[in-house]
Amino acid sequence: MKLLVINPNISDDVTALIESEALRSASPGTSLVVSTAGHGVEYIETRFESLIAAGAVAEIIAGHHGQVDGVVVAAFGDPGMPALKELADVPVIGITEAALCAAALQGHRFSIIAISDRIRPWYLDCVERFGLGGRLASIRSINETLNAIGSVQQDFKETLLALSRQAVAEDGADVVILAGAPLAGLARDLRGQIPVPVVDGISAGIRMAEAVVGLQSGAHRTGAFAPPPVKARKGLSENLDAALTAAQTASNAAAPN
């Protein structure tokens, strides 16, 4: 099995964190192709930044069309999801949906620990989109200026630990989600220091992607996630145009006569 793991922001140091945790989480026999967005922002905090990132992620998926068995979008908030499912002919899993599913399987109420206050409205939107707003205990976040996105774990480890413990003691969280690729791997370091299960989005994304690929359920050829209809288009990259054409062709071939 080969998984494409995409960092939707432009930070190579965050990509290194993603790759490290993904390699630790992947099963024997799973190979990874890890890629960084070719354009966008240092790290994604807002809906608009997510919109920019979605285009970069689509380009990477298109560039690997027919070469991988599944895709992991490795930024909390899942930029481009669920629309990316309309493009790819393989499972596309966002680390938000993977982490939320993992949390929902391990407890009734969960809390999300985030790297900034600004990011919280977007995360809340994501939780509500998945229909889990009633199970969200809280979103707690760092409210200090970040020194560098690649060093958040080192700079704020004690703060993140304290926020996690507060989520359990004060908000009633049964599960804590450490949100965002900059926190990849931190759950391993904090294991045993938080009195409830702690979910890492990257590891959840890898393991969920492996599971869904292994189900061999088939591609979306019709319905809500079918490829977009054929119509005139302009200005797309060669890779994106080719991937979209391939998806549309496969969908049309599967349509009943």
Side-chain angles (χ1 to χ4, degrees), residues 71-213:
V71 178
V72 177
V73 180
F76 213 83
D78 297 349
M81 298 285 281
L84 294 168
K85 297 178 188 290
E86 299 177 16
L87 172 66
D89 60 352
V90 297
V92 182
I93 306 296
I95 66 169
T96 309
E97 62 181 357
L100 292 176
C101 287
L105 289 170
Q106 297 182 79
H108 180 65
R109 289 170 59 79
F110 57 86
S111 286
I112 295 172
I113 308 302
I115 63 171
S116 77
D117 288 342
R118 183 64 178 90
I119 215 167
R120 293 171 66 181
W122 175 39
Y123 281 4
L124 181 58
D125 282 355
C126 293
V127 174
E128 292 178 342
R129 187 179 78 232
F130 287 114
L132 292 171
R135 297 179 66 176
L136 178 66
S138 62
I139 301 176
R140 288 183 175 262
S141 56
I142 299 170
N143 63 359
E144 302 176 48
T145 302
L146 306 183
N147 298 319
I149 193 61
S151 64
V152 173
Q153 294 187 41
Q154 292 78 16
D155 297 341
F156 295 100
K157 183 176 181 178
E158 292 304 316
T159 299
L160 293 163
L161 177 58
L163 291 172
S164 299
R165 288 172 170 169
Q166 288 169 359
V168 176
E170 300 175 21
D171 306 329
D174 304 311
V175 183
V176 168
I177 300 172
L178 297 179
L183 303 186
L186 182 60
R188 294 177 186 270
D189 292 340
L190 298 183
R191 186 171 295 161
Q193 300 182 58
I194 300 169
V196 298
V198 183
V199 174
D200 181 297
I202 300 301
S203 57
I206 295 295
R207 299 297 265 181
M208 291 287 185
E210 289 178 333
V212 174
V213 170

Side-chain angles (χ1 to χ4, degrees), residues 9-93:
N9 64 55
I10 61 171
S11 302
D12 290 330
D13 48 359
V14 173
T15 302
L17 291 170
I18 292 169
E19 183 169 21
S20 179
E21 180 58 26
L23 287 169
R24 287 193 293 261
S25 302
S27 301
T30 297
S31 62
L32 305 177
V33 179
V34 183
S35 186
T36 307
H39 66 270
V41 297
E42 179 185 9
Y43 60 99
I44 305 163
E45 288 186 282
T46 72
R47 302 173 187 88
F48 183 72
E49 291 171 345
S50 174
L51 179 65
I52 296 171
V57 172
E59 291 288 352
I60 294 172
I61 292 175
H64 290 82
H65 179 78
Q67 302 173 26
V68 297
D69 301 302
V71 178
V72 177
V73 180
F76 213 83
D78 297 349
M81 298 285 281
L84 294 168
K85 297 178 188 290
E86 299 177 16
L87 172 66
D89 60 352
V90 297
V92 182
I93 306 296

Side-chain angles (χ1 to χ4, degrees), residues 213-231:
V213 170
L215 290 173
Q216 299 183 352
S217 303
H220 294 285
R221 301 303 186 207
T222 188
F225 294 104
V230 177
K231 61 188 70 170

Side-chain angles (χ1 to χ4, degrees), residues 222-246:
T222 188
F225 294 104
V230 177
K231 61 188 70 170
R233 54 184 184 250
K234 180 180 179 181
L236 276 63
S237 69
E238 182 178 346
N239 282 340
L240 190 54
D241 188 72
L244 189 53
T245 297

